[in-house]
Amino acid sequence: MRQRMGSLWFRDLQLSAKQGVGFGMILLIMATAIMYGLNQNGNVTNEITAINENWLRRVVTISDINEAVGALRMTQLQDAVALDEQTRTKHRETMVSLIESTEANIDVYEQLRADTLFLDANVQVLNSADEATFYDEFDALWEQYLDISFLFLDLVETGQQNYAIAILNGEARLIFEDISQTLGELVRINRERATEAGERAVATYRSTRGVIIIVFLGTIFASALIAGVLVRYITVPVKEVEKAALRVSEGDLNVKLHIISHDEIGNLAYAFNKMTTSLRDAREMMQKQAEQLQQKNEDLEAALQRVSETQQQLVLSEKMASLGQLTAGIAHEIKNPLNFVNNFAILSIDLTEEIEEELEAHKDSKVAEVLVDVADLLADLKFNAKKINEHGARADSIVKGMLQHSRGAKTQREPTDLNQLVDEYINLTYHGMRASHADFNVTMEKDFDPNVGEVTIVPQEIGRVLINLMNNACYAVYERAKVSQNGFQPWLRLTTKAEGDQIVIQVSDNGGGIPEKLQGRVFEPFFTTKPTGSGTGLGLSLSYEIVTLGHNGTLTFESKEGDGTIFTVRLPRTPALSA
Amino acid sequence: MRKFVIIAFLLACWSPSAMAQVAIIAHKDVPAAEITKERVLDFYSGESRWWTSDIPVVVLDLKAKGDVRDTFYKFLGRSSSRMKSIWLRRKLSGEGEPPETMDDAAELIAKVASTPGSIGYVHIDVVQGNPDIKVLALVAMEL
């Protein structure tokens, strides 16, 4: 809200002062109007007073004089023809009172004239000069009439009634007519004044009324103006603050109030802005902390994940380490007795062969019939001994296998053409499979990445891994083919891929897949889904060891029951220094 | 003392810049050396008929309208018509006659000089040196 420079002083007044100024102005206007109204009213009152008391009284007074003088003349006429003293005396008395009343009225008239000298200047006295002239004229005429009256009396005294009557009807009448005319002029003048004053009073009243109406409207306008000013300076800023506060409550902390007056509202706006600024700062800080927490959380989760994987690896490694130890121990212990078993078995076989030779040499003697029984017995002995040999050899091979398992992976590494290796072992496996299951047809797919090149590995060990994986795959598809209808096409796929400094080998099949609840156990030593007697259950655990411990790689799988399985071997191109 | 003042006043009138004045004059034997306006008015309105209990007053008026007459009546504070109406009423009531009216100043002076107890008024210049008359008061004329 921009402020004009001119209203700067008002803008910075305190609210109470603003209201004071506003209402003060209204009061000022109203007071002015009332004063004016009263003043005008006073003028009107003066006019009316002047009208009533002065002009009209003059008119009345003059009329009375006129009447009195006329009556005087009539009385004089009557007196002239009066016959007796009593009547005459009565007439004389009447004349005296008429003259007295005339004089009294003249006094009143003169007083009324004197009074108008002190009237308010607003009340004009029209035609004063004319009035003075007429009045002097009247005075002169009245004096003339008085002179005539003296003459009349003298004439009557001296018995000249006729002459007296003639004078009354002549000169006196003329004088009286002049008096009436002059007085008429005075009446006219004063009536005019009364009328004019009345008109002026009405005009004043009307103009006053008009002015008061205008002032009334002006006061309303001023009030509206002042209300508008107050709204602009008070209500509008307050509403701005209210809107800003609501926006802040909705979360927008970038609100800034632009009220710059130096009154209470300006101070409020200033404090408000400070408040939102500190809220903003606090929120930013909180957000930063939240981000940091989030980051820490993510780090922790990642670390947790790693720890969990490491834990699993550790558990597995431990399992296998302890198992390795166990098998090493067992193997070690079995080794010796087995040696003895083997040796004695061999001796036994040798002995029996000697006995057989002896008997053969002496087969014609009588003893021969007994010896035939002995020969049977010897044959049994031989057979038993062979059996011992057989089983011993078998135990021996088990032990060898177990020893292999527990052996450390410290054999010779060399740069090897991986694609070539894989291809060799594919052939090995395929022919081996065909050899044991002639009716089995599986499609072998290959997809070798030419960028793979040479990898530093122990080729025999990786080869063993490949064989193991491929054998498992073949077994899976073979088993599935057995239970599936004719439409099932078993396949195996081997892919190699170079990914940066890693080599990825994948063995995929569309066999029956590994059930989910068994997936956690596939790398366990001795764990197998094959029936007892076929397989040792050590293949995958051995492969796992070779890949992870021996080559610092990873061996993982994906499998879905009914879909197939993919085993993935990741090897570093060049091995890191082994732990 | 008052005589001195009057004489001094008279002397002052001889100076070239003297004001015109109306003199209120009376017969030399009237028992007054000066007179107040009120008393003059009383005489001229008929309120009082006596100088003292045994000297009646004889009031004289001028007929001719003019400055002298106007000045005198203004001095009295009454208009001529008013005075006349007063006398007409008196006459009608049988209380007496109005003042005698002289035709001019000379006639009035002659009458005052020859009538004891008389009182009148004229222009001061006319009064000069008449032994039978005394001036009781002077009224300045407004020219």
Side-chain angles (χ1 to χ4, degrees):
Chain A
M1 186 166 71
R2 293 248 177 86
Q3 308 284 339
R4 290 184 305 249
M5 283 308 287
S7 61
L8 210 60
W9 72 271
F10 186 72
R11 181 197 81 185
D12 291 336
L13 280 180
Q14 293 303 291
L15 290 179
S16 49
K18 279 182 172 114
Q19 289 176 341
V21 167
F23 291 125
M25 278 171 59
I26 292 180
L27 283 173
L28 194 68
I29 291 169
M30 281 173 59
T32 308
I34 288 168
M35 299 286 270
Y36 177 77
L38 287 174
N39 186 42
Q40 292 299 94
N41 193 41
N43 290 345
V44 171
T45 309
N46 286 348
E47 299 264 8
I48 293 169
T49 309
I51 291 165
N52 285 338
E53 290 184 14
N54 205 296
W55 315 135
L56 297 176
R57 272 185 71 192
R58 287 193 205 189
V59 168
V60 167
T61 306
I62 290 162
S63 302
D64 287 346
I65 291 173
N66 197 29
E67 206 180 301
V69 175
L72 179 65
R73 193 172 78 87
M74 287 297 121
T75 312
Q76 285 167 332
L77 276 167
Q78 285 176 344
D79 183 64
V81 297
L83 298 167
D84 57 291
E85 210 49 45
Q86 203 179 1
T87 318
R88 182 149 287 155
T89 311
K90 212 161 64 149
H91 288 318
R92 296 284 160 93
E93 280 171 8
T94 308
M95 285 186 230
V96 166
S97 76
L98 285 171
I99 293 167
E100 262 175 14
S101 88
T102 302
E103 288 299 325
N105 280 328
I106 288 172
D107 285 340
V108 165
Y109 192 84
E110 281 176 358
Q111 181 59 50
L112 290 171
R113 281 183 79 194
D115 286 347
T116 57
L117 290 176
F118 300 107
L119 277 179
D120 192 82
N122 285 332
V123 180
Q124 292 168 334
V125 183
L126 291 175
N127 301 326
S128 326
D130 286 353
E131 186 185 33
T133 307
F134 285 124
Y135 184 74
D136 288 343
E137 213 174 287
F138 162 73
D139 188 55
L141 286 166
W142 174 236
E143 196 175 338
Q144 282 180 33
Y145 196 84
L146 288 168
D147 289 335
I148 286 276
S149 297
F150 276 114
L151 178 61
F152 162 78
L153 279 177
D154 287 338
L155 289 170
V156 169
E157 295 290 303
T158 54
Q160 300 177 67
Q161 280 91 329
N162 291 335
Y163 189 27
I165 291 168
I167 289 198
L168 281 175
N169 286 325
E171 202 176 332
R173 188 170 66 81
L174 287 172
I175 294 171
F176 173 65
E177 278 170 10
D178 284 343
I179 285 175
S180 288
Q181 196 174 15
T182 308
L183 290 178
E185 290 297 315
L186 287 174
V187 163
R188 176 185 62 78
I189 286 171
N190 285 298
R191 276 228 173 94
E192 273 175 13
R193 284 174 186 165
T195 307
E196 197 266 354
E199 284 169 359
R200 233 179 310 124
V202 169
T204 304
Y205 164 72
R206 286 216 179 102
S207 72
T208 305
R209 189 180 62 177
V211 166
I212 287 188
I213 287 172
I214 288 171
V215 166
F216 176 65
L217 292 173
T219 307
I220 290 176
F221 175 75
S223 303
L225 201 70
I226 285 158
V229 164
L230 286 178
V231 160
R232 175 180 166 197
Y233 281 100
I234 297 176
T235 312
V236 165
V238 165
K239 276 200 133 22
E240 275 210 19
V241 173
E242 178 193 342
K243 273 196 303 201
L246 283 174
R247 278 172 64 192
V248 166
S249 76
E250 285 163 8
D252 179 5
L253 290 183
N254 290 322
V255 178
K256 199 163 168 64
L257 285 171
H258 295 291
I259 301 167
I260 55 171
S261 53
H262 289 303
D263 59 0
E264 295 93 324
I265 299 195
N267 297 341
L268 174 68
Y270 178 72
F272 183 87
N273 287 339
K274 276 184 78 174
M275 180 186 76
T276 54
T277 303
S278 59
L279 278 175
R280 247 207 318 276
D281 293 341
R283 188 167 71 174
E284 273 175 27
M285 198 160 62
M286 273 170 56
Q287 274 174 349
K288 275 206 191 97
Q289 282 175 353
E291 278 168 17
Q292 282 174 355
L293 271 174
Q294 174 87 349
Q295 186 63 40
K296 280 216 177 77
N297 266 352
E298 283 170 5
D299 292 343
L300 279 173
E301 275 200 30
L304 190 67
Q305 179 75 10
R306 278 200 303 276
V307 164
S308 155
E309 283 174 4
T310 308
Q311 193 182 38
Q312 280 181 2
Q313 271 191 11
L314 275 174
V315 164
L316 207 52
S317 302
E318 261 199 34
K319 263 196 201 173
M320 292 197 301
S322 62
L323 211 53
Q325 274 182 351
L326 184 67
T327 51
I330 293 174
H332 196 264
E333 293 301 314
I334 289 179
K335 195 173 160 60
N336 268 339
L338 269 177
N339 266 341
F340 280 110
V341 164
N342 263 339
N343 289 340
F344 277 116
I346 292 169
L347 278 172
S348 296
I349 292 172
D350 288 342
L351 273 173
T352 55
E353 279 178 356
E354 269 185 47
I355 294 172
E356 277 177 355
E357 281 173 14
E358 283 292 328
L359 284 174
E360 189 57 42
H362 301 290
K363 69 176 177 182
D364 291 323
S365 33
K366 207 170 173 181
V367 184
E369 286 178 15
V370 175
L371 286 172
V372 167
D373 293 321
V374 168
D376 285 331
L377 286 166
L378 281 171
D380 288 335
L381 184 66
K382 186 177 179 180
F383 181 75
N384 290 345
K386 271 195 181 143
K387 278 289 172 195
I388 291 170
N389 194 22
E390 247 183 64
H391 288 290
R394 189 152 179 271
D396 192 27
S397 82
I398 289 172
V399 165
K400 273 203 182 96
M402 285 166 66
L403 283 173
Q404 268 180 349
H405 189 276
S406 67
R407 199 182 340 156
K410 289 189 173 50
T411 21
Q412 209 70 351
R413 287 194 203 172
E414 59 198 42
T416 318
D417 186 337
L418 195 69
N419 287 340
Q420 198 180 25
L421 183 77
V422 172
D423 205 26
E424 267 178 42
Y425 278 91
I426 287 176
N427 290 331
L428 267 171
T429 311
Y430 186 69
H431 291 303
M433 194 67 181
R434 284 301 296 268
S436 55
H437 306 282
D439 58 340
F440 184 58
N441 269 324
V442 60
T443 317
M444 291 283 225
E445 292 171 20
K446 309 183 223 184
D447 183 8
F448 297 153
D449 183 356
N451 293 327
V452 166
E454 291 200 334
V455 187
T456 308
I457 51 169
V458 179
Q460 299 89 344
E461 292 193 333
I462 295 297
R464 201 173 290 139
V465 169
L466 290 168
I467 288 175
N468 176 247
L469 292 177
M470 285 192 280
N471 279 339
N472 285 345
C474 288
Y475 180 78
V477 300
Y478 183 69
E479 288 297 310
R480 188 171 180 187
K482 276 204 291 194
V483 300
S484 296
Q485 291 148 349
N486 286 344
F488 178 64
Q489 303 287 344
W491 51 260
L492 239 79
R493 186 185 300 130
L494 257 98
T495 60
T496 65
K497 198 160 166 52
E499 282 183 8
D501 60 354
Q502 270 195 337
I503 303 299
V504 183
I505 308 167
Q506 278 194 329
V507 180
S508 316
D509 66 76
N510 65 340
I514 306 169
E516 206 175 304
K517 59 178 189 277
L518 300 181
Q519 284 184 9
R521 300 182 67 188
V522 298
F523 293 119
E524 247 181 61
F526 301 114
F527 177 77
T528 179
T529 55
K530 292 181 182 157
T532 333
S534 53
T536 56
L538 291 172
L540 274 177
S541 62
L542 201 61
S543 301
Y544 190 85
E545 248 196 35
I546 291 171
V547 170
T548 52
L549 295 178
H551 290 78
N552 243 9
T554 62
L555 176 59
T556 54
F557 69 94
E558 277 170 53
S559 183
K560 196 161 174 205
E561 208 169 347
D563 257 359
T565 312
I566 305 173
F567 270 86
T568 306
V569 178
R570 284 179 188 273
L571 297 170
R573 208 184 258 285
T574 51
L577 293 169
S578 52
Chain B
M1 183 60 195
R2 280 182 185 148
K3 241 188 210 168
F4 178 76
V5 168
I6 290 168
I7 290 168
F9 215 45
L10 281 170
L11 283 171
C13 290
W14 286 106
S15 69
S17 62
M19 280 189 293
Q21 288 163 322
V22 167
I24 298 174
I25 53 175
H27 187 265
K28 64 179 173 18
D29 291 332
V30 299
E34 62 200 356
I35 195 163
T36 61
K37 177 177 93 171
E38 286 73 26
R39 202 160 190 214
V40 175
L41 184 59
D42 283 346
F43 286 154
Y44 272 83
S45 65
E47 279 296 317
S48 172
R49 308 290 178 108
W50 303 88
W51 286 102
T52 57
S53 58
D54 50 342
I55 302 175
V57 66
V58 177
V59 185
L60 299 168
D61 199 349
L62 278 176
K63 182 186 258 175
K65 297 195 193 296
D67 289 336
V68 173
R69 193 162 192 269
D70 291 343
T71 304
F72 178 72
Y73 277 99
K74 201 162 167 191
F75 167 71
L76 287 185
R78 292 284 183 278
S79 65
S80 172
S81 63
R82 172 59 61 89
M83 297 302 284
K84 282 182 181 167
S85 90
I86 290 170
W87 281 111
L88 183 59
R89 275 180 275 159
R90 285 204 192 281
K91 186 165 182 180
L92 284 166
S93 308
E95 287 171 13
E97 294 292 324
E100 210 176 325
T101 312
M102 301 289 110
D103 287 334
D104 56 39
E107 200 186 333
L108 188 140
I109 283 177
K111 184 81 182 188
V112 167
S114 60
T115 312
S118 63
I119 181 170
Y121 61 90
V122 286
H123 197 284
I124 184 63
D125 294 343
V126 187
V127 178
Q128 306 175 251
N130 196 323
D132 297 316
I133 294 173
K134 52 177 162 184
V135 176
L136 295 180
L138 286 166
V139 179
M141 284 170 70
E142 285 165 34
L143 296 162

